[in-house]
Amino acid sequence: MSLEILYGIGFAVFVLVFLTYVLAPTRNQTNLPFWSVLLVLCAGLNFVAWNEKDATLQWVLIEGTTFVGSLLISSSRTPKSYPIAWKFLLINSFGLGIAFLGIILILAAFHVINQPVEVLVANISEHPEIIWVEVGLWLAIFGYSAKLGLFPNHVWIEDTYGESPTQVSSLLSAFIPVSVCFALRPFVHLDHQLFPHTFSGADGLLVLGIITILISIFAVYDRDDIRRISAKVALFHTGALAVILWMDLSDNIFYFVMASNLVVKSLLFISMGIVRMDAGKRELGKILQSDAINKPALSLFILSLFLAFVMPGSPVFVNDIVLIKAGQIGGKGLVILVPILGLVFFGVMLYKIAPLLNLKGRTFQKENSTILRIRMTNGFFLLLLLLGTGCWGFFLLVQGIL
């Protein structure tokens, strides 16, 4: 897969999310022109960050998504939205501040060393300045991990994705991790080249990713809120992205994994929002007390959960195959833990969600029918895009490109 195809998938995802926001807003979503401009700005900053080669300018663009994202989180104007927006802003800015310090140290050290990385690797013992590169890599990787949402700075993910407007959660969860992965990837690659035999910043990223995955599994069992359950799905995939980054795979695989994140997260939150709005509640216990629910909407949501983990035809399923294959080739067989833990997470989540299937079916309630039908239409197109990406991934896998 090429970067151009990734941009095409990203643009299609953004258009569908944007149309959902503009054509099917809820009562709390007022002043649509202003917030729509911010949605476009947030997506634009992410798009530019993907192809930016200058580490400092890329950092500025990602920091811009932090500021714009915090405004979008507060757009629902609920009592919870403002403190959650501040949490998002502060934790992400804290992490990016550490990352910026690391970037400065790396650039300053390489200016002193002024030699290609390959030469440094061959003569690492002759360069005492390399210690500053190592410190810089630790800071840059850990700082960006906070923006990605890894442990111990993962606490903003559940609140942000669980309390933001559905379209905002869909946009942020789909696009921001991709931008951060683009920023992290060169540092992980450099770390592997310079420090292949010591516990380094890239290995620290792996540890944080695995801890994040385990936390998401334990946390989802205690959740009774479909919005926060969906946020835990996003948290699991954040941990998985850290493991994939640590593997330092080819461009084709990296771009496909990023495309998977775009389509899976966007469908997950859009479909979840339809169910929540149709049911008028978000707690599973209260939804189960209802007489009936719209079955097509519920089916789309549950299908999105299947596609986020185990279902053939999903790009995530392709990712798991590629990860296992790369682990065997590279002697890193322990990465098979990611798909195994994904099955565990899915089993726990299905245990929580499955009772909803016992509810009787009904049509959308009259007061929300127009909005929900528009969202269902956009959700259906997102589903087609997701399945198309998954099928394309299988084709690339068979051709040996992935």
Side-chain angles (χ1 to χ4, degrees):
M1 176 176 282
S2 65
L3 182 60
E4 290 74 19
I5 294 176
L6 176 62
Y7 269 109
I9 293 173
F11 181 75
V13 167
F14 171 70
V15 168
L16 290 170
V17 172
F18 182 77
L19 290 176
T20 302
Y21 188 85
V22 173
L23 301 178
T26 60
R27 291 188 298 270
N28 291 332
Q29 291 173 314
T30 58
N31 197 9
L32 288 181
F34 174 73
W35 299 114
S36 298
V37 170
L38 286 186
L39 278 175
V40 174
L41 178 59
C42 185
L45 289 170
N46 281 285
F47 281 133
V48 176
W50 296 355
N51 199 35
E52 181 53 56
K53 304 304 181 184
D54 187 312
T56 54
L57 182 54
Q58 189 177 52
W59 180 92
V60 171
L61 293 168
I62 294 175
E63 176 68 353
T65 66
T66 301
F67 177 71
V68 178
S70 64
L71 294 177
L72 288 170
I73 293 167
S74 66
S75 64
S76 59
R77 299 183 179 182
T78 63
K80 291 183 178 180
S81 64
Y82 294 110
I84 289 173
W86 275 109
K87 178 187 288 188
F88 174 84
L89 179 63
L90 292 175
I91 294 178
N92 282 267
S93 295
F94 158 76
L96 288 175
I98 295 176
F100 187 73
L101 178 59
I103 292 170
I104 295 302
L105 286 176
I106 294 169
L107 295 179
F110 273 117
H111 178 71
V112 172
I113 296 171
N114 197 26
Q115 293 183 18
V117 173
E118 292 76 13
V119 176
L120 295 174
V121 174
N123 303 284
I124 191 170
S125 61
E126 300 176 8
H127 296 282
E129 304 95 338
I130 207 73
I131 184 63
W132 294 111
V133 178
E134 184 173 12
V135 172
L137 286 170
W138 271 103
L139 292 174
I141 292 172
F142 178 76
Y144 271 127
S145 75
K147 178 69 176 178
L148 188 59
L150 297 180
F151 172 87
N153 299 297
H154 63 287
V155 292
W156 65 265
I157 281 191
E158 181 175 349
D159 288 339
T160 298
Y161 300 161
E163 301 297 337
S164 302
T166 297
Q167 304 93 324
V168 173
S169 297
S170 182
L171 181 73
L172 297 182
S173 65
F175 283 83
I176 285 182
V178 174
S179 297
V180 178
C181 286
F182 268 98
L184 270 169
R185 193 176 181 224
F187 297 120
V188 172
H189 181 67
L190 178 61
D191 188 278
H192 281 313
Q193 287 186 300
L194 292 177
F195 312 105
H197 305 299
T198 59
F199 185 82
S200 57
D203 299 317
L205 182 70
L206 172 66
V207 173
L208 295 182
I210 293 175
I211 293 175
T212 303
I213 288 174
L214 294 174
I215 287 174
S216 69
I217 295 173
F218 285 108
V220 75
Y221 180 79
D222 294 328
R223 297 299 181 268
D224 192 47
D225 182 327
I226 61 171
R227 290 187 67 98
R228 291 185 175 266
I229 288 174
S230 301
K232 289 304 177 186
V233 176
L235 182 63
F236 180 95
H237 283 286
T238 294
L241 285 176
V243 176
I244 292 172
L245 281 172
W246 173 77
M247 291 290 291
D248 197 20
L249 303 174
S250 66
D251 287 347
N252 285 326
I253 296 175
F254 177 75
Y255 294 148
F256 183 78
V257 171
M258 296 301 101
S260 303
N261 187 84
L262 289 170
V263 293
V264 168
K265 300 279 188 65
S266 57
L267 176 62
L268 172 68
F269 284 99
I270 289 295
S271 60
M272 177 277 299
I274 296 171
V275 172
R276 186 207 61 78
M277 191 173 180
D278 172 63
K281 308 172 186 68
R282 47 192 287 178
E283 296 81 9
L284 290 172
K286 293 181 179 179
I287 296 176
L288 288 170
Q289 294 174 2
S290 305
D291 295 331
I293 197 170
N294 184 272
K295 282 300 180 69
L298 179 62
S299 299
L300 181 64
F301 176 51
I302 292 180
L303 181 59
S304 72
L305 296 176
F306 271 88
L307 292 169
F309 289 96
V310 298
M311 190 170 181
S314 165
V316 176
F317 189 74
V318 178
N319 291 346
D320 289 343
I321 296 175
V322 171
L323 191 61
I324 294 171
K325 176 183 174 183
Q328 290 178 336
I329 294 174
K332 301 174 181 177
L334 284 177
V335 295
I336 197 175
L337 282 174
V338 174
I340 291 175
L341 292 174
L343 289 173
V344 174
F345 185 100
F346 179 76
V348 174
M349 182 179 58
L350 192 61
Y351 167 77
K352 305 281 291 187
I353 298 292
L356 294 178
L357 295 171
N358 295 323
L359 293 173
K360 297 179 181 179
R362 59 162 172 76
T363 60
F364 287 126
Q365 298 181 15
K366 186 176 180 180
E367 61 270 20
N368 295 322
S369 61
T370 302
I371 291 175
L372 291 176
R373 288 182 187 280
I374 294 173
R375 293 192 179 192
M376 279 292 292
T377 301
N378 291 342
F380 177 72
F381 282 117
L382 281 172
L383 175 62
L384 292 180
L385 183 60
L386 189 154
L387 293 175
T389 303
C391 292
W392 177 246
F394 271 110
F395 173 77
L396 295 178
L397 187 62
V398 171
Q399 295 295 315
I401 298 175
L402 293 184

